[in-house]
Structures are given as C-alpha cells and as structure tokens.
Amino acid sequence: MSRPALEVADIFRDHGPAWRQAHAGHVSLEQLKVMSAIERCRTAALGGHVVRCEDCAYTTIAYNSCRNRHCPKCQGAAAKQWLADREANLLPVPYYHVVFTLPAAIADIACQNKAVVYDLLFKVSAETMLTIAADPKHLGARIGITSVLHTWGSALTHHPHVHIIVPGGGISPDGQRWVSCRPGFFLPVRVLSRLFRRLFLKALSAAHAAGRLSFFGDDTDLADAQSFAAYLAPLRKAEWVVYSKCPFGGPEAVLAYLSRYTHRVAIANSRLISFDEGGVTFKWKDYRLAGRDRYKQMTLATAEFIRRFLIHVLPKGLHRIRHYGLFAKGACADNIARARELLAVAKSEGQPTAAAVDANKPRCPCCGGRMIIIEVFARGAAPRHQPAPPTNRFRIDTS
C-alpha cells in the first residue's frame, strides 16, 4: 500500500514543538507521549531493519513502528491480529450492531473525567443490553457482547459513543437451548434507551457523591451536589440516543465491519487533503444529511486540528475494546463451545484463518520473491546496507 501524501505525523513534526510550547502546562503527559510517538513512528529515531529479496536482490529499509494505539499508521497489524483471535469465536447466526451515545451535556463532563465516564459508558450500556435481553418479555436469554469505544465525530469533535456487536440470540437461562431473536429485530431501542438513561444517571450521580468526578474552568460549580443535580435534571426527561442498525449479512460481514472499527483512530491519514499556512483540510461526513451531500471538506487552523486530535487520547490503562456476557474473558471459550453445541455446528476446519493469511512473509514488490532481514539497526543509527534497485532481469521489453 502506498504511503499517503500527507500524514498526521507531518503536521505534528512541523507544528508540534510550537504547539507544545504555547500550551505548556495544559497538555497531559499521555497527550505528550502520543505526539512524540506519532512524530517518531517509522523513522530512524526508532531504529529498524533492512530486508532483501532472495530472488532479485531488491533491498529496502523498514523503520520500526511506535505501536501507539492512537497512531494512524500502527493500527493495521494490531487489527489483523485481533480479528484472527476473534474469528474462532464467531457463531453462525445473524449479528446486530447497536450504538449507545452520550448526550452533549454528559460528553462535557466526560471531557474532564474520561476514565470515570468512559468506564461507566461501557458498563452501563452492557448492563442495559444484558438486562433487556434476559427479560422473558423480549428475548429471555444470556447474550454475548463486544463493545468498542469511539470518542469522536467525523469532524474530530468530542462525541463519546460505544459500538456494540452482538449475536442475534443467546443461551437460555437453564443452558439447554439457543434462543434466537426475531428475524431482522433484536431488542427495542426505546426500551434500551430508557433503561440506559436511568442506569447511567444513577451511576454518574453515585460517582459524583463518591468524589470521583473533577470539574475545572466554567464547570467548577458542578462540584456542588445541588448544582450537579440541577444540571442532570433536564437529562432525566430527554431522549437518549440508542441506535440499532440492520443485521449483518453473516459472520464474514461482521469481520469486515470489525476490521474497520475496532482499531480506528480519531482521523485516518487517508482523510487528510492538504496542510499549509491556512490550516489543515480534511474530509468529513455530515450524518445529518443523506446521499452524496453528506461528504464534505473542512479546514481547521493547525493549532485547533492538533487540539481536536488530542482530546481523543484515552487515559492510560483504559481498554477501548471490552467483552461482556457470554463473551466475558473468563468463560468465553466454554460459552462459545456450548453455543455451537446448541446450534449443532462444529468448528469449521480446513478453511484458512485470518491468522494463517497474516502469517505469510512479506513479498518483494518487484518479483514476488521472499523478503529476508539482512540487518537490524538500533534507534538513531543508520543502516550499513542501503537500498539497491532490482536487477534488470525483470525488465519488460516494450520495443
């Protein structure tokens, strides 16, 4: 895959030092680490290795990746490995996609209390799904959930929401049968929305009472219990957004979707258009519109672009992909085996997995030969071997 003409790293390298100096004391250590990692990613600063084709002697340098989870260039390999691990857990049933979104007023609190509020978003949305699914009036079964946290809108604004991928059914409470949902319908979104609102506001109020929330700037008055209660009061009557999408076409479609969503960062390099003294121009999608009109371009001042990118840096130790119910880590393997048994489906054999495909060694772009490592060099060092052009034995005669 060719390198994009413009990368977030280019913007950080060019304007990062001045931006850090201008905002000294207002940037967290995690944000500074993310900037540094992206700036150094796949450069000589991190070292690397030299690879050469066994057939045509084509040689190239591969610099090491920063592997930071916020880096636009480093999520491809991580996503492939994660998908390979998840592939074995797919069930031969329709899968559904449900999105839980926090209201703007709660998102403002989350901006200053990311670890607490994001954790509540995960736990409460999962509890909501598990509770309604277990109700005999709806499904009456134990379900499995994979949740993925996104904190951004397409324009890099702060828009925390969680994507939930769930099989269309679950195991009965007695563990003796598989309970399927109605075709094309999983759980009622209005019921989910009301329970999600009640449980989240209750949990958020408890966090405030326990002193787990902090407030700064114009929001310092929310530290007072009465002010906080008054702030939440309108939210108890407002409609909270829970969106259920159409079911996926099958397990393969689930994998394709997850490959796009699980390790996504705030903005991909492919969305960047230009970067000059006028600012950063990028593509974005206006979801309020339909059709081709929703695809637009936006230009932000460089300092504002950097600020928006960094507000999506997650607190250290916060996992952005979590599993609940049947997919909870401790009993996932046993639950998957039981679900397959109830569905009378054996684990597929003889079909290449994502892990097997990804295990293939890099191939030469010139002749397709196997590339081998001939040198490893340390951080900041220069390689002894320099890239050489391929031999002309593969040249095509066009005369």
Side-chain angles (χ1 to χ4, degrees):
M1 183 179 295
S2 60
R3 180 182 182 273
L6 178 62
E7 298 181 348
V8 172
D10 298 324
I11 300 169
F12 280 6
R13 293 183 193 120
D14 193 84
H15 275 64
W19 192 90
R20 285 189 287 264
Q21 184 176 4
H23 295 82
H26 300 281
V27 187
S28 71
L29 179 60
E30 286 303 311
Q31 290 172 328
L32 292 174
K33 287 181 177 180
V34 168
M35 290 189 74
S36 177
I38 292 176
E39 290 168 356
R40 293 154 58 89
C41 185
R42 299 187 189 181
T43 67
L46 296 183
H49 54 275
V50 182
V51 292
R52 176 177 294 167
C53 176
E54 288 185 318
D55 296 332
C56 70
Y58 170 79
T59 306
T60 188
I61 298 174
Y63 294 108
N64 290 334
S65 302
C66 67
R67 298 186 180 182
N68 190 285
R69 61 176 171 170
H70 301 92
C71 177
K73 289 187 291 189
C74 288
Q75 299 311 300
K80 289 179 181 178
Q81 183 57 54
W82 188 87
L83 288 173
D85 296 339
R86 301 282 80 74
E87 188 176 24
N89 293 340
L90 285 176
L91 297 172
V93 298
Y95 275 73
Y96 290 78
H97 175 198
V98 183
V99 183
F100 288 81
T101 302
L102 291 180
I106 302 296
D108 291 341
I109 297 175
C111 221
Q112 299 182 4
N113 300 273
K114 293 180 180 179
V116 174
V117 178
Y118 292 167
D119 186 61
L120 289 181
L121 174 57
F122 268 120
K123 292 179 178 178
V124 174
S125 59
E127 181 182 356
T128 299
M129 292 284 290
L130 294 170
T131 300
I132 300 301
D135 189 336
K137 293 188 298 182
H138 298 294
L139 185 64
R142 294 182 294 131
I143 60 173
I145 290 174
T146 295
S147 300
V148 182
L149 174 68
H150 285 183
T151 65
W152 55 84
S154 185
L156 288 181
T157 51
H158 188 233
H159 180 65
H161 55 285
V162 66
H163 296 264
I164 289 181
I165 310 300
V166 55
I171 298 177
S172 62
D174 60 6
Q176 298 304 307
R177 60 191 179 92
W178 176 265
V179 181
S180 297
C181 65
R182 285 185 286 167
F185 178 84
F186 186 57
L187 295 174
V189 293
R190 176 162 291 188
V191 175
L192 291 172
S193 176
R194 301 287 170 81
L195 181 59
F196 176 58
R197 179 182 63 188
R198 179 170 65 81
L199 293 179
F200 193 94
L201 290 176
K202 178 181 178 181
L204 189 65
S205 298
H208 185 277
R212 298 175 58 205
L213 301 179
S214 302
F215 301 96
F216 309 95
D218 296 337
D219 296 328
T220 52
D221 61 313
L222 293 181
D224 176 71
Q226 290 185 341
S227 297
F228 189 71
Y231 183 83
L232 296 185
L235 297 173
R236 300 185 185 279
K237 299 181 180 180
E239 290 293 336
W240 288 37
V241 178
V242 177
Y243 176 56
S244 180
K245 295 187 176 183
C246 297
F248 294 102
E252 296 78 9
V254 177
L255 282 180
Y257 174 84
L258 289 175
S259 67
R260 297 193 303 270
Y261 270 77
T262 52
H263 292 71
R264 181 177 288 184
V265 298
I267 187 168
N269 288 327
S270 59
R271 288 176 55 197
L272 301 177
I273 297 174
S274 64
F275 167 48
D276 52 32
E277 62 277 0
V280 182
T281 302
F282 59 93
K283 294 177 285 187
W284 72 290
K285 188 184 298 184
D286 188 345
Y287 288 96
R288 296 169 298 182
L289 302 177
R292 300 174 62 179
D293 292 338
R294 64 168 43 185
Y295 298 98
K296 301 181 178 181
Q297 294 184 10
M298 176 180 293
T299 299
L300 295 176
T302 304
E304 174 62 11
F305 176 86
I306 295 175
R307 185 196 71 83
R308 290 197 189 188
F309 184 93
L310 293 179
I311 62 176
H312 304 294
V313 172
L314 298 178
K316 182 179 180 180
L318 190 144
H319 296 282
R320 64 180 179 186
I321 304 174
R322 302 186 185 183
H323 308 279
Y324 298 92
L326 298 180
F327 298 160
K329 190 173 182 180
C332 179
D334 292 340
N335 289 331
I336 292 294
R338 181 56 178 162
R340 288 183 174 277
E341 181 182 350
L342 295 174
L343 288 164
V345 176
K347 185 176 180 180
S348 59
E349 297 179 356
Q351 193 171 5
T353 64
V357 174
D358 294 338
N360 293 335
K361 299 295 183 181
R363 315 303 294 186
C364 175
C366 298
C367 69
R370 190 167 70 101
M371 302 292 285
I372 60 173
I373 296 177
I374 61 172
E375 179 189 351
V376 176
F377 54 95
R379 293 169 177 253
R384 296 189 306 273
H385 297 82
Q386 294 300 320
T391 61
N392 60 6
R393 77 186 206 192
F394 296 100
R395 180 173 58 86
I396 298 176
D397 187 358
T398 57
S399 59

